[in-house]
Amino acid sequence: MAEICVPKEPDGLDEAEPPFWHDEEREVFQSKRSAEKDPGLPRILRSLPGCLTRAPLLLMLLLISLGLFMLMLITLVQVSRIQQSLPREMEHQGSRSPGVVLQEPMKSDLEEIHQQLAWMNATLTGLCRPCPWNWDFFQGNCYAFSQTRRTWKASVSDCQDMNAQLVVVNNAEEQKFLQFWNTRNDKPAWIGLTDHHNEGSWQWVDNSPLLLSFWKQGEPNSQGDEDCVELYSDGWNDKKCSAELFWICEKPSGLCPGLRETLSPTQPMPLNGPQ
């Protein structure tokens, strides 16, 4: 409760009026009292500031209470809005399949990871050499074309020393690739085909039988004990194994680090090599 300030009468001005005074005497007495009261007015005014200093404090408390009330009201309104929106949000989420809700962000993350792996794979592929220097790459294999001449048997041995074998032709694409080298260099070369174990029964150096052939017209004719095969730009020819020719070695290509891990099973594996 606010204190009510009531100014007090100055001391010494409450003397009772003497009885049986005449009118003239009463007027003189009242005039004297009024003159005595006037000097007390400043003392009454000096008691007012104590009351007035309490007003700002009450006003400040009132403003703080009002601010707290408004903050509480705003918070209640926000909570009410959230509670009203939750059922609608749950209903919206419930209308969609939970699997779809979970799979969509997961699919996005997987696509981003796949793109990063593809970029890493392309970078590694560009830096990697699947074949040694001076070897040519084709269809997952590496090929070495000799610069010297050897007999067929010596050519087989030289290829083995390089962890390779005298070339075995498996398909028409490989045959065209080898013929291109022969046409470019005009150098007949030994391939890994012979019938010296059994005349007329042609066999590759890996002991696989001859299933697909690219003989020149009229070949093989086995003239003069021709048991080994040389490659020409227009096909194969049987020749004496003691002849010294160029030769072609073949071995599987190497894999760059991480290539298999970064590629999906259905994605072709890109390998670059000297052409």
Side-chain angles (χ1 to χ4, degrees):
M1 295 293 292
E3 181 181 355
I4 301 176
C5 296
V6 178
K8 295 181 179 180
E9 291 288 337
D11 295 337
L13 299 180
D14 297 333
E15 296 179 1
E17 180 181 335
F20 310 113
W21 280 30
H22 297 289
D23 294 337
E24 292 82 1
E25 293 176 347
R26 184 180 292 108
E27 290 178 1
V28 173
F29 178 77
Q30 289 179 351
S31 298
K32 183 178 180 181
R33 288 188 62 183
S34 299
E36 291 177 353
K37 287 181 180 180
D38 289 340
L41 289 177
R43 286 191 299 174
I44 298 173
L45 295 177
R46 284 196 298 269
S47 65
L48 292 177
C51 299
L52 295 176
T53 54
R54 296 184 178 89
L57 180 60
L58 295 175
L59 181 61
M60 184 180 299
L61 292 175
L62 180 62
L63 292 176
I64 292 175
S65 301
L66 182 60
L68 291 175
F69 175 76
M70 293 299 297
L71 180 60
M72 184 182 299
L73 182 62
I74 293 173
T75 303
L76 290 176
V77 171
Q78 291 178 347
V79 171
S80 177
R81 289 179 179 177
I82 294 174
Q83 290 177 347
Q84 292 177 0
S85 63
L86 278 177
R88 293 195 298 268
E89 184 67 20
M90 294 297 294
E91 183 180 356
H92 177 69
Q93 293 291 341
S95 63
R96 303 175 62 185
S97 172
V100 174
V101 174
L102 294 176
Q103 288 178 7
E104 285 183 355
M106 184 181 298
K107 183 178 179 181
S108 176
D109 293 341
L110 289 176
E111 288 178 353
E112 183 177 354
I113 293 173
H114 181 75
Q115 291 176 357
Q116 294 176 353
L117 291 178
W119 176 81
M120 293 172 61
N121 176 64
T123 303
L124 289 174
T125 302
L127 297 175
C128 175
R129 292 184 59 85
C131 297
W133 290 101
N134 299 323
W135 288 65
D136 287 0
F137 173 81
F138 182 76
Q139 289 187 343
N141 291 318
C142 300
Y143 299 85
F145 299 88
S146 73
Q147 301 298 319
T148 59
R149 291 179 173 87
R150 301 279 187 178
T151 64
W152 188 89
K153 186 175 182 180
S155 299
V156 171
S157 179
D158 285 347
C159 289
Q160 290 174 347
D161 291 342
M162 294 185 290
N163 296 319
Q165 66 181 9
L166 205 58
V167 64
V168 175
V169 181
N170 295 297
N171 51 60
E173 290 78 13
E174 188 176 15
Q175 171 68 15
K176 291 178 181 179
F177 168 74
L178 298 173
Q179 284 179 326
F180 174 75
W181 176 87
N182 185 279
T183 301
R184 183 178 59 186
N185 296 277
D186 193 23
K187 297 175 180 179
W190 290 123
I191 62 175
L193 186 63
T194 182
D195 70 343
H196 63 85
H197 293 296
N198 186 4
E199 184 66 28
S201 179
W202 297 97
Q203 192 174 28
W204 294 104
V205 290
D206 62 358
N207 297 321
S208 60
L210 177 65
L211 301 177
L212 180 64
S213 62
F214 300 93
W215 295 105
K216 294 174 63 174
Q217 187 175 0
E219 301 296 340
N221 53 25
S222 298
Q223 292 181 357
D225 196 22
E226 297 177 336
D227 294 332
C228 295
V229 179
E230 61 179 344
L231 170 73
Y232 276 88
S233 59
D234 56 348
W236 300 348
N237 175 56
D238 58 343
K239 195 175 184 68
K240 289 183 178 181
C241 297
S242 58
E244 291 188 350
L245 302 174
F246 295 99
W247 37 270
I248 306 172
C249 291
E250 173 189 24
K251 67 179 179 179
S253 64
L255 287 177
C256 294
L259 281 180
R260 288 193 183 275
E261 291 79 0
T262 58
L263 292 173
S264 62
T266 58
Q267 184 178 357
M269 182 170 297
L271 291 173
N272 295 327
Q275 300 295 329

